[in-house]
């Protein structure tokens, strides 16, 4: 299943990070309280970060599970450094930044988050290629490389910049393991068998992702949209070989 970092260094052994893609802080806090016993952590995305705001990170963080701020930072280095610092101050364990922003920007993100987090563990996760993009979509933006080749280049860049890990599709996990084996691998676009992939072009099942070397799985609607979210999380967890 790939070389995994020591769980005592990277967080709970449970690999599920629940995407709290809901409109209000109250909804997010309610779901987080319900799911906290059954998952490894939570993702706070742009909907919450631009709605209720970064304070929701601290609210959810009181449950003593890591909170992953999916801010998708991509700007000039000074701006990214300041934004990462604020998210670190808010309590984020991980913050995402687009590797497409370049090494200087990623280094600024790493520095800013470290400043904001102080003595707490915190790291930048570099986004390689969005799971909503395929080769045709990349070509339409002027990028000739395949998703795999682009992910490899950006993973190397992330490692050189001091990022803790990468956000990568399951399809690119193999190349990430090859070119940057020490980076934490966080995989979105996870859909259990029978669940609609929605806007994720390069989706995969939880089992497939873990077998290919993922350390953490970002799962949203398959859990949060279920009649019993806690039961849905447990069902997914029970299907994984975590030995």
């Amino acid at each position: 299943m790939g070389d995994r970092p020591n769980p005592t260094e990277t967080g709970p052994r449970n690999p599920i990070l629940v995407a709290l893609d809901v409109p209000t802080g109250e909804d997010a806090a309610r779901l987080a309280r319900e799911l906290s016993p059954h998952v490894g952590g939570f993702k706070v995305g742009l909907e919450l970060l631009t709605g209720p705001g970064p304070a929701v990170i601290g609210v959810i963080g009181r449950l003593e599970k890591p909170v992953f701020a999916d801010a998708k930072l991509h700007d000039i280095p000074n701006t990214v450094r300041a934004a990462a610092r604020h998210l670190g101050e808010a309590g984020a364990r991980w913050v995402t930044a687009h590797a497409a922003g370049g090494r200087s920007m990623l280094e600024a993100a790493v520095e800013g988050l470290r400043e904001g987090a102080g003595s707490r563990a915190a790291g930048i996760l570099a986004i390689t290629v969005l799971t909503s993009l395929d080769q045709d979509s990349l070509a339409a933006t002027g990028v000739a490389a395949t998703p795999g080749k682009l992910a490899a280049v950006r993973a190397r860049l992330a490692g050189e910049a001091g990022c803790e890990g990468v956000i990568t599709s399951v399809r690119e996990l193999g190349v990430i393991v090859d070119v940057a084996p020490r980076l934490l691998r966080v995989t979105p676009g996870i859909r259990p068998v029978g669940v609609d992939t929605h806007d994720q072009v390069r989706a995969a099942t939880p089992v497939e992702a873990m077998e290919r070397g993922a350390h953490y799985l970002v799962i949203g609607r398959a859990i949060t949209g279920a009649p019993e979210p806690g039961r849905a999380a447990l069902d997914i967890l029970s299907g994984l070989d975590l030995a």
Side-chain angles (χ1 to χ4, degrees):
M1 289 191 186
D3 177 31
R4 292 189 183 135
N6 186 333
T8 62
E9 297 173 356
T10 61
R13 186 66 185 86
N14 186 317
I16 297 174
L17 299 177
V18 175
L20 298 173
D21 295 328
V22 292
T24 71
E26 291 77 11
D27 289 339
R30 175 185 54 77
L31 268 171
R33 283 193 298 271
E34 179 180 354
L35 291 167
S36 183
H38 313 304
V39 302
F42 300 99
K43 187 199 88 164
V44 171
L46 288 175
E47 186 172 9
L48 286 171
L49 291 174
T50 58
V56 74
I57 296 170
V59 172
I60 296 167
R62 291 177 195 144
L63 298 169
E64 299 186 350
K65 292 291 176 76
V67 180
F68 150 33
D70 193 16
K72 295 182 171 66
L73 301 177
H74 192 175
D75 210 313
I76 62 172
N78 282 344
T79 298
V80 166
R81 180 173 182 159
R85 182 173 65 248
H86 289 316
L87 291 168
E89 291 168 348
R93 171 62 183 86
W94 296 293
V95 173
T96 57
H98 279 285
R103 178 168 176 169
S104 294
M105 191 209 78
L106 290 175
E107 289 174 340
V110 170
E111 292 166 3
L113 182 58
R114 185 179 298 126
E115 292 166 0
S119 61
R120 287 188 304 101
I124 293 295
L125 301 176
I127 297 168
T128 55
V129 182
L130 292 173
T131 54
S132 58
L133 298 175
D134 57 16
Q135 189 163 358
D136 289 341
S137 301
L138 288 171
T141 68
V143 177
T146 65
K149 289 181 179 179
L150 189 58
V153 169
R154 290 176 175 176
R156 287 194 192 96
L157 189 67
E160 292 167 358
C163 296
E164 184 175 354
V166 291
I167 305 291
T168 181
S169 158
V170 69
R171 296 189 190 181
E172 283 77 67
L173 277 168
V175 298
I176 303 298
V177 171
D178 288 341
V179 305
R182 297 185 65 82
L183 291 179
L184 191 69
R185 298 181 289 274
V186 180
T187 306
I190 301 299
R191 297 288 187 273
V193 175
V195 175
D196 195 323
T197 60
H198 295 285
D199 51 358
Q200 305 283 1
V201 174
R202 302 193 325 282
T205 67
V207 170
E208 182 182 6
M210 295 297 288
E211 287 178 344
R212 292 197 182 191
H215 298 124
Y216 282 100
L217 312 175
V218 181
I219 306 176
R221 285 168 280 199
I223 292 175
T224 60
E228 297 181 65
R231 171 51 57 189
L234 285 173
D235 287 345
I236 292 170
L237 192 62
S238 67
L240 300 175
D241 176 13
L242 300 177

